[in-house]
Amino acid sequence: MASDEHDERGFFGERSLPQLKRDTTQEKPHYLGHRERLRERFSVTGGDTLADYELLELLLFRLIPRADTKPAAKALLARFGTLAEVLGAPVNLLQEVKGVGPAVALNLKIVAASARRMARGEISGREVLSSWNQVLDYCRAAMAFEEREHFRILFLDKKNVLIADEVQQTGTVDHTPVYPREVIKRALELSATAIILVHNHPSGDPAPSRADIDMTKTIIDIAKPLGISVHDHIIIGKKGFASMKGLLLI
């Protein structure tokens, strides 16, 4: 009986297990098909049909080549709100979002700078007052998401064509020092006959303050005897803008 048990143990111990056939076919990551479909949608219908997170995904494809970019795109939008706000966000805050490292943050800022350059191209060499929507688009792209106040001046020639665009002062989160005589001095140096004043409110509310109105009127009073017109003072917020001329404040 012991001998039989020994033989039986040997029988089972020596039996070889059937070889499992190894699947050498490697599954492609699920995001590859998604990327192709999204690219195809963009090529067929253009960007206007895509949601913000989808456009952001497309931007991230080359920046994050071997990963699913949808979570990062949605996390960026959850943090900042809109695609424009993502592109306008500072590098240090972009990097606080999971999946966004220094290289990705820098490249998003390159895209933002390119967008601003395109917007500026829409008004360069044109009669500004007849391209007012493009002027507003450019100002929003350039200033809406800055963390500090910037005071910008658009200098125009006698045909109201843009001849220079300069940030004259940069201030704090709620104040920018503006020196009216310096504004007019620069206009004279450029032989400008008209100017448009622009500044941003990082708080997001574009409503002009009493100080904004008084400063603008001071510039107008100095400019008028010298033959320089102040066409408007535009205040840019994250969600909109205010025109002092449109509000009948000047």
Side-chain angles (χ1 to χ4, degrees):
M1 185 71 179
S3 174
D4 291 342
E5 288 177 356
H6 176 75
D7 291 343
E8 191 172 330
R9 287 198 302 272
F11 173 76
F12 283 109
E14 291 172 4
R15 289 183 64 183
S16 59
L17 293 173
Q19 293 293 322
L20 296 175
K21 189 175 181 181
R22 182 175 295 177
D23 185 4
T24 57
T25 305
Q26 189 174 3
E27 289 189 16
K28 291 184 178 180
H30 69 91
Y31 59 80
L32 292 181
H34 172 67
R35 288 185 175 204
E36 289 306 315
R37 290 190 295 272
L38 197 53
R39 287 192 183 103
E40 184 177 356
R41 279 182 57 202
F42 181 84
S43 65
V44 172
T45 63
D48 290 342
T49 65
L50 301 182
D52 273 7
Y53 81 88
E54 291 173 317
L55 278 174
L56 192 49
E57 277 190 82
L58 285 169
L59 288 177
L60 294 175
F61 281 172
R62 291 192 179 276
L63 306 179
I64 309 175
R66 287 178 291 277
D68 183 1
T69 60
K70 185 183 289 186
K74 289 196 170 183
L76 283 164
L77 290 169
R79 172 71 182 272
F80 299 107
T82 65
L83 178 58
E85 288 173 298
V86 170
L87 296 179
V91 167
N92 63 307
L93 295 185
L94 287 171
Q95 291 183 61
E96 292 179 2
V97 175
K98 185 177 180 181
V100 179
V104 172
L106 179 61
N107 277 279
L108 287 175
K109 299 310 294 182
I110 292 171
V111 172
S114 300
R116 288 195 299 271
R117 189 67 59 87
M118 288 179 62
R120 184 177 178 180
E122 292 293 317
I123 62 173
S124 294
R126 297 188 181 187
E127 200 278 308
V128 167
L129 298 184
S130 65
S131 308
W132 197 243
N133 287 336
Q134 285 83 0
V135 171
L136 295 174
D137 287 343
Y138 167 63
C139 291
R140 282 196 292 262
M143 305 175 72
F145 305 108
E146 293 288 347
E147 293 185 297
R148 296 186 293 169
E149 282 197 9
H150 291 247
F151 182 72
R152 182 180 230 101
I153 308 171
L154 307 182
F155 297 94
L156 314 177
D157 66 13
K158 63 182 178 180
K159 293 183 179 180
N160 287 320
V161 171
L162 181 69
I163 56 176
D165 162 29
E166 296 179 358
V167 175
Q168 192 184 65
Q169 297 289 337
T170 298
T172 64
V173 294
D174 59 3
H175 175 69
T176 306
V178 177
Y179 306 101
R181 293 189 183 278
E182 291 298 316
V183 173
I184 303 308
K185 177 184 176 183
R186 185 58 177 152
L188 292 171
E189 289 173 351
L190 294 169
S191 299
T193 57
I195 58 177
I196 298 172
L197 310 175
V198 191
H199 84 278
N200 62 306
H201 280 177
S203 67
D205 181 5
S209 67
R210 184 72 254 172
D212 293 335
I213 298 168
D214 291 343
M215 175 267 291
T216 305
K217 289 182 176 179
T218 299
I219 293 175
I220 291 171
D221 291 341
I222 298 173
K224 189 172 182 180
L226 298 173
I228 300 172
S229 300
V230 179
H231 285 325
D232 205 344
H233 186 166
I234 303 168
I235 302 174
I236 302 294
K238 291 180 181 179
K239 303 298 183 182
F241 72 95
S243 159
M244 286 199 187
K245 187 172 183 179
L247 294 171
L248 305 178
L249 296 173
I250 59 173

